[in-house]
């Protein structure tokens, strides 16, 4: 009993989720800006560096959440849900960084419209993830729980939109791209970008589960 009293009952998990969610949205916007300014090497490098910085910051937040789990006696939501959610959120920024690095390592010369569309859908997904996370502390309020579910449904729709864009992009790529090397590069990039919305959907599914258990 004494040991339990010495441990903090609740850590600042929601604040850390919010901090991480903000970095996801900022990272997605920086990635979008990188794609929009890809022909300008200086701006491309500037925004790529921002994506890296946001990813590193989010990694520190993830590590702090996992450390806090070990030190906290009573958590505001299920411990496994906390662990799964912060790691799923971290996967989003990892993919944003991977996509940024892949485009530069593969020496992609120009950005097709399909990449911009996927990047835009990714940014919208990430902003909805950030919003959903901000609602977690007040899920006991029916209106907030309903808003969280609605936001998760919006993420699901955006993921479906990204699927359609990716399929269309792949079809166009194989029909029109005659340079095999460019085809291979763009195929990998399309798949990575579509995976960002998949990871956002993973977060949405976890939040829906938290809503159902805690509202």
């Amino acid at each position: 009993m004494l040991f339990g009293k010495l441990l903090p009952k609740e850590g600042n998990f929601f604040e850390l989720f919010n901090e991480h969610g903000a970095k996801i949205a900022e990272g997605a916007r920086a990635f979008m800006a990188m794609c929009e300014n890809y022909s300008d090497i200086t701006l491309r490098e500037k925004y790529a560096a921002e994506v890296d910085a946001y990813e590193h910051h989010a990694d520190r937040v993830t590590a702090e959440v996992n450390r806090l789990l070990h030190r906290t006696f009573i958590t505001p939501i299920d411990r496994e849900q906390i662990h799964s959610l912060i790691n799923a959120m971290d996967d989003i920024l990892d993919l944003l960084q991977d996509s940024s690095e892949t485009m530069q390592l593969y020496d992609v010369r120009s950005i097709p419209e399909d990449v911009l569309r996927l990047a835009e859908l990714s940014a919208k997904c990430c902003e909805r993830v950030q919003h959903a996370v901000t609602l977690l502390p007040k899920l006991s309020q029916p209106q907030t729980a309903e808003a969280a579910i609605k936001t998760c449904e919006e993420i699901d729709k955006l993921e479906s939109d990204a699927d359609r864009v990716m399929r269309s992009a792949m079809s166009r790529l194989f029909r029109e791209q005659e340079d095999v090397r460019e085809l291979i590069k763009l195929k990998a990039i399309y798949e990575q970008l579509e995976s960002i919305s998949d990871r956002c959907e993973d977060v949405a599914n976890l939040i829906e589960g938290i809503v159902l258990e805690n509202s």
Side-chain angles (χ1 to χ4, degrees):
M1 290 296 293
L2 178 61
F3 178 67
K5 289 179 181 178
L6 293 174
L7 287 169
K9 292 183 182 298
E10 286 196 17
N12 57 335
F13 291 104
F14 293 134
E15 290 88 344
L16 290 168
F17 281 142
N18 284 340
E19 185 177 349
H20 197 297
K23 297 308 164 190
I24 288 174
E26 290 166 348
R29 287 192 287 268
F31 180 79
M32 182 71 196
M34 186 195 80
C35 292
E36 290 173 331
N37 295 278
Y38 199 80
S39 60
D40 185 321
I41 295 176
T42 300
L43 284 176
R44 182 201 310 174
E45 291 178 349
K46 171 183 179 292
Y47 290 120
E50 288 184 9
V51 173
D52 287 346
Y54 292 133
E55 192 276 335
H56 294 324
H57 185 127
D59 274 349
R60 292 193 293 273
V61 175
T62 300
E64 177 58 26
V65 169
N66 287 317
R67 280 194 296 270
L68 197 58
L69 272 175
H70 291 294
R71 301 199 306 265
T72 306
F73 186 52
I74 298 173
T75 55
I77 58 177
D78 182 79
R79 305 176 75 86
E80 186 57 38
Q81 289 174 327
I82 291 172
H83 178 77
S84 297
L85 181 57
I86 195 63
N87 285 293
M89 290 171 66
D90 209 46
D91 286 343
I92 298 172
L93 262 171
D94 286 344
L95 271 173
L96 283 165
Q97 184 188 45
D98 289 346
S99 298
S100 170
E101 289 180 349
T102 297
M103 289 165 72
Q104 296 177 84
L105 290 172
Y106 284 9
D107 191 29
V108 175
R109 302 301 169 85
S110 62
I111 297 297
E113 186 65 28
D114 290 318
V115 167
L116 290 174
R117 290 179 68 196
L118 286 168
E120 182 180 9
L121 286 167
S122 296
K124 287 180 178 178
C125 268
C126 289
E127 287 172 354
R128 302 321 291 155
V129 164
Q130 179 189 15
H131 178 65
V133 167
T134 65
L135 301 175
L136 289 174
K138 299 180 180 178
L139 290 181
S140 59
Q141 301 173 3
Q143 287 183 331
T144 304
E146 185 179 337
I149 292 293
K150 181 181 177 183
T151 302
C152 290
E153 289 171 350
E154 291 170 356
I155 294 169
D156 290 342
K157 183 181 182 304
L158 287 166
E159 191 277 333
S160 296
D161 291 344
D163 273 347
R164 284 192 291 273
V165 170
M166 203 263 285
R167 286 195 296 269
S168 175
M170 287 292 195
S171 175
R172 190 161 29 254
L173 182 64
F174 280 93
R175 285 198 317 269
E176 300 175 2
Q177 181 56 255
E178 296 180 355
D179 187 325
V180 175
R181 288 179 300 179
E182 284 300 305
L183 187 150
I184 292 170
K185 292 176 186 179
L186 289 172
K187 179 177 180 293
I189 289 166
Y190 289 157
E191 289 171 342
Q192 273 191 325
L193 289 177
E194 197 278 328
S195 293
I196 295 169
S197 60
D198 286 342
R199 299 292 78 75
C200 290
E201 187 178 41
D202 290 343
V203 170
N205 291 338
L206 287 165
I207 290 175
E208 284 180 342
I210 293 169
V211 170
L212 293 173
E213 288 188 26
N214 295 275
S215 60

